Amino acid sequence: MCRRLRDSAPALLLWGCLAVGAGALGAEGAAEPEGFWEGNVDAPTPSTLHGGTVVHVEDVGTLLRQGQAVVIDVSNTPRRPAELAPGAPWLPLPHRAISDALWLPGVGAGALSQEVDDFYRSRLERATAGNFDVPLVVYCHEKCWLSWNAAKRAIAYGYRRVFWFPEGIEGWTAAGRQTLVVLPQGPAIAVQAPITESPAPDGRLPALAVLDLELTGDLGGPEFEAEHAARLKTESDRLRQDLQGTGLYRILDNSGAQGMIDTLRSQQAYLHDCNGCDLDVGRSLHADQVMVAWVDRVSGLILSLTYEIHEVQTGQIAARKSFDFRGDNNNAWNHAIDYMVRDLAKK
Amino acid sequence: MGVMRALSMPAMLLAFGAGWGLNPAWAAGAPATAGSPDAAGPPDADETERAERWKELQHALFGDRQIQDGSAWLGIDAPARALDAALVPVSLTVKGDRAIKGIYLVIDNNPGPLAGHFIFGPQGDPHSLKLRVRVNAYTYMHAVAETRDNQLFAAARFVKAAGGCSAPAGADEQQALQDIGHIKVRLMQPFAAGKTMEAQLMIRHPNFNGMQMNQATRLYTPAMFIRTIDVSYNGAPVMHLDSDISLSSDPVISFGFIPPQKGQLKVLVRDTKDSTFGQSFDVPAPAG
């Protein structure tokens, strides 16, 4: 960042002064790139968007009052770095958006995966009932290229009334306009959703260590070994992300106890059934609770997912539940994990 | 020059000048009171929400401990509107001779709100600290000082800056990693035994926070950031910092220390990859 500043210090200073002085981007904004912008997303943006209309707070207010416009927020979601020290608080603010905006993180990147591109296209289609004349208002933050890209992309999809709001949520808020808390939608929700539920009554989230999923029952023979190992790994990560996303727990990074986990694994068939050895892992991570979860594979079709949450202090089972599901494949596992976490969060 | 190539003078002047040289509120010593807006504060409508956020954070960070208003002697300053959200200069000051154990810097609306915890050793001087941080959204910042008799005091400051946490580290990750761990110390005053000296510590480290997207690869740059910084003088602790992802890349931290005699200032930095970088500096600095 230092380098960014050094390389562009005079330009940045000039821009900064303009922004402060005029409260808006002047004609000195960056030039429109040919395609989508693939550089730094937090950088001065152009003052124009070819094929679209640049709007400011008042115009957005008018569009909202007219009642047809679909407002799209393309801000990124905050992600908790796994390397954050266990115990370091991670409390992203609830995401506030303009009115009832659709929050579609990721659709403003310089290049999209097919999946995200398809999602954006179909989400817009749904929101506009396939009418390309419905006005779209696209924004993220001030000095943020994501909204410029996403607006340009909507124009390319064929929308004829695309309004780009470069001042973003900061400009909107500074003008004293209303905001609403919204949840992200789409496949590019980076790792986790923001906290949507209030923390425990005493204000401290319980620190939860989540051990990797384990597979029991009929493992299907050696030809399934690699597939299962990979699935246990990705689904364990998914489980942690889902749990983090509930805002009910502070999910700990297990790497601090990796040595211990590896040793236990070499000695025990299953850490979810090892006379409380999971509590030792929890203790060494300073966890309040440990979650063990496993999939029992009756056959390639019939499986069940079970979790237990143990109190590290007392060893007591704080929660336990099983869920049956069908199909030993990524999709079915994904659904089972997501369902389980949603169910757990409802309590 | 090695390390300091990364922090060329215009950038330094920009960063420091904006924060510390030219701010009238600072010069007048008019810190904001804890939890209430100062002249540069936000519209009142958001105040309740911001106060609630701070209450929530107090609980998360300090449990049930009471936090008193320290604004009479504890100062926190930053530009009301930052030029670069990834490099917001913050200055923390303590007036008077209260015995201070440590200072917490909380950036309320950052997803990881605890930006740093400074702990002062016997050779440390808590009266002035300066550092640069990332700010993700318009926010209050709180300085919370802990006295040696375990009382907590807070002072607040509102800052307008946004996007500092996802600002990409630069066009080229590899370049950001060059010279990693180079450390430089600048002594701001001539040496006098037993008198406070201000030292400016500069560390070359990208401090990737895991939220920066590499637009070319569309992948997030894995987090790699400084966890702790320890400074000692002739073996006696000056300052320990537990830091977090809110610290800017290529951190610059100014702090005070009291050298009883000529000696060596030692800096030890540890990051999340458990790499350690250390260097010692002669005090006073060798001539030339």
Side-chain angles (χ1 to χ4, degrees):
Chain A
M1 249 149 285
C2 225
R3 192 175 53 255
R4 179 154 69 87
L5 185 60
R6 180 194 52 195
D7 288 344
S8 59
L12 197 76
L13 182 60
L14 177 66
W15 180 82
C17 292
L18 281 171
V20 172
L25 296 175
E28 283 76 5
E32 284 199 51
E34 193 81 358
F36 296 105
W37 174 257
E38 303 208 347
N40 293 349
V41 295
D42 291 329
T45 46
S47 54
T48 54
L49 171 62
H50 187 72
T53 310
V54 179
V55 287
H56 305 292
V57 173
E58 289 300 322
D59 314 313
V60 176
T62 308
L63 283 161
L64 286 179
R65 268 198 307 282
Q66 290 167 352
Q68 291 173 340
V70 173
V71 185
I72 297 143
D73 176 354
V74 298
S75 313
N76 285 328
T77 51
R79 319 160 63 246
R80 186 186 207 278
E83 295 81 352
L84 217 58
W90 184 254
L91 300 160
L93 286 179
H95 187 81
R96 303 201 73 103
I98 295 176
S99 179
D100 50 357
L102 301 175
W103 180 20
L104 312 179
V107 303
L112 298 191
S113 66
Q114 195 58 49
E115 189 192 15
V116 176
D117 194 43
D118 290 346
F119 163 77
Y120 187 33
R121 196 186 291 267
S122 64
R123 191 66 192 84
L124 289 183
E125 195 181 326
R126 189 144 63 89
T128 58
N131 179 352
F132 285 110
D133 287 315
V134 169
L136 302 179
V137 178
V138 186
Y139 78 96
C140 49
H141 296 281
E142 59 182 350
K143 200 173 96 170
C144 168
W145 277 90
L146 297 173
S147 56
W148 191 89
N149 278 345
K152 181 169 181 143
R153 196 161 277 135
I155 295 165
Y157 290 162
Y159 289 90
R160 288 183 276 267
R161 298 180 64 201
V162 175
F163 298 90
W164 174 49
F165 176 41
E167 285 86 5
I169 193 68
E170 286 79 18
W172 185 255
T173 311
R177 302 286 184 141
Q178 287 276 232
T179 56
L180 280 179
V181 171
V182 297
L183 292 176
Q185 303 180 22
I189 300 170
V191 181
Q192 78 197 42
I195 287 177
T196 56
E197 309 214 22
S198 53
D202 67 354
R204 281 171 187 268
L205 297 176
L208 181 68
V210 182
L211 301 190
D212 278 359
L213 285 162
E214 297 177 315
L215 186 63
T216 66
D218 171 15
L219 306 186
E223 67 268 32
F224 287 103
E225 230 169 77
E227 186 193 320
H228 281 145
R231 192 168 294 141
L232 288 169
K233 168 89 184 60
T234 55
E235 297 297 336
S236 299
D237 290 342
R238 186 183 189 94
L239 173 61
R240 290 190 192 95
Q241 287 156 16
D242 283 1
L243 284 166
Q244 181 78 45
T246 64
L248 297 174
Y249 296 102
R250 198 152 48 73
I251 304 301
L252 300 176
D253 173 10
N254 290 357
S255 58
Q258 201 53 53
M260 179 188 258
I261 292 172
D262 292 344
T263 312
L264 287 170
R265 272 208 186 132
S266 67
Q267 297 164 347
Q268 309 276 350
Y270 297 111
L271 300 197
H272 72 264
D273 182 13
C274 62
N275 251 327
C277 74
D278 59 300
L279 301 177
D280 297 332
V281 176
R283 260 188 291 275
S284 84
L285 291 169
H286 305 292
D288 299 312
Q289 297 178 319
V290 179
M291 175 188 269
V292 289
W294 63 96
V295 170
D296 186 38
R297 185 180 186 276
V298 178
S299 69
L301 179 65
I302 298 173
L303 303 94
S304 71
L305 169 65
T306 306
Y307 75 87
E308 283 184 358
I309 295 178
H310 299 156
E311 298 286 357
V312 171
Q313 291 279 325
T314 61
Q316 281 182 327
I317 298 177
R320 181 184 205 280
K321 199 161 176 181
S322 280
F323 305 82
D324 290 336
F325 67 101
R326 293 285 174 274
D328 188 7
N329 57 62
N330 290 341
N331 245 339
W333 281 56
N334 284 348
H335 281 295
I337 296 278
D338 292 356
Y339 185 89
M340 178 179 103
V341 173
R342 273 203 304 277
D343 180 81
L344 184 153
K346 266 189 279 178
K347 290 185 186 144
Chain B
M1 270 308 277
V3 186
M4 287 315 298
R5 266 204 321 270
L7 299 162
S8 65
M9 279 322 281
M12 294 284 289
L13 287 174
L14 184 65
F16 289 116
W20 297 317
L22 311 170
N23 191 314
W26 173 248
T33 52
S36 74
D38 64 358
D44 288 342
D46 298 328
E47 275 308 298
T48 324
E49 209 171 298
R50 295 181 200 279
E52 268 167 28
R53 171 73 172 177
W54 173 230
K55 218 163 131 189
E56 180 193 355
L57 292 180
Q58 285 182 47
H59 273 293
L61 296 169
F62 305 107
D64 294 333
R65 296 179 66 184
Q66 202 207 335
I67 302 184
Q68 305 167 59
D69 180 4
S71 56
W73 53 271
L74 177 64
I76 175 164
D77 193 57
R81 182 153 192 126
L83 289 180
D84 186 338
L87 281 169
V88 179
V90 181
S91 163
L92 306 168
T93 50
V94 172
K95 277 188 277 188
D97 47 12
R98 255 169 235 265
I100 303 294
K101 191 197 284 183
I103 297 183
Y104 298 82
L105 175 62
V106 182
I107 303 173
D108 293 19
N109 289 353
N110 273 7
L114 182 56
H117 179 201
F118 293 90
I119 300 165
F120 302 103
Q123 304 295 298
D125 181 338
H127 288 96
S128 170
L129 283 173
K130 293 167 188 170
L131 69 162
R132 301 184 306 183
V133 295
R134 297 174 170 135
V135 174
N136 199 41
Y138 288 13
T139 184
Y140 268 111
M141 289 185 184
H142 282 91
V144 179
E146 186 170 29
T147 56
R148 296 234 176 251
D149 57 358
N150 297 319
Q151 296 188 74
L152 296 172
F153 295 88
R157 165 101 191 153
F158 193 76
V159 179
K160 288 181 176 174
C165 295
S166 54
D172 183 356
E173 259 168 60
Q174 288 312 310
Q175 208 184 325
L177 291 169
Q178 250 177 25
D179 300 330
I180 185 169
H182 280 225
I183 300 171
K184 190 170 167 160
V185 163
R186 224 168 102 197
L187 299 172
M188 309 306 277
Q189 285 98 14
F191 170 79
K195 286 259 171 69
T196 295
M197 286 184 91
E198 197 188 359
Q200 193 184 67
L201 167 64
M202 289 158 281
I203 303 163
R204 186 91 167 101
H205 197 292
N207 234 41
F208 291 133
N209 62 8
M211 298 163 82
Q212 296 136 339
M213 195 196 285
N214 182 329
Q215 276 273 76
T217 60
R218 276 177 284 136
L219 295 174
Y220 286 94
T221 305
M224 179 175 73
F225 53 88
I226 294 174
R227 261 209 179 123
T228 60
I229 299 174
D230 279 283
V231 182
S232 59
Y233 190 73
N234 290 347
V238 168
M239 180 193 83
H240 169 89
L241 169 64
D242 287 312
S243 87
D244 211 321
I245 54 173
S246 298
L247 200 62
S248 298
S249 54
D250 295 329
V252 179
I253 298 169
S254 295
F255 60 92
F257 71 106
I258 306 166
Q261 68 273 319
K262 291 184 181 183
Q264 280 212 318
L265 192 69
K266 191 174 172 201
V267 179
L268 191 67
V269 177
R270 182 184 295 273
D271 73 12
T272 50
K273 298 267 180 245
D274 263 334
S275 309
T276 53
F277 312 102
Q279 208 163 323
S280 294
F281 302 88
D282 287 329
V283 177

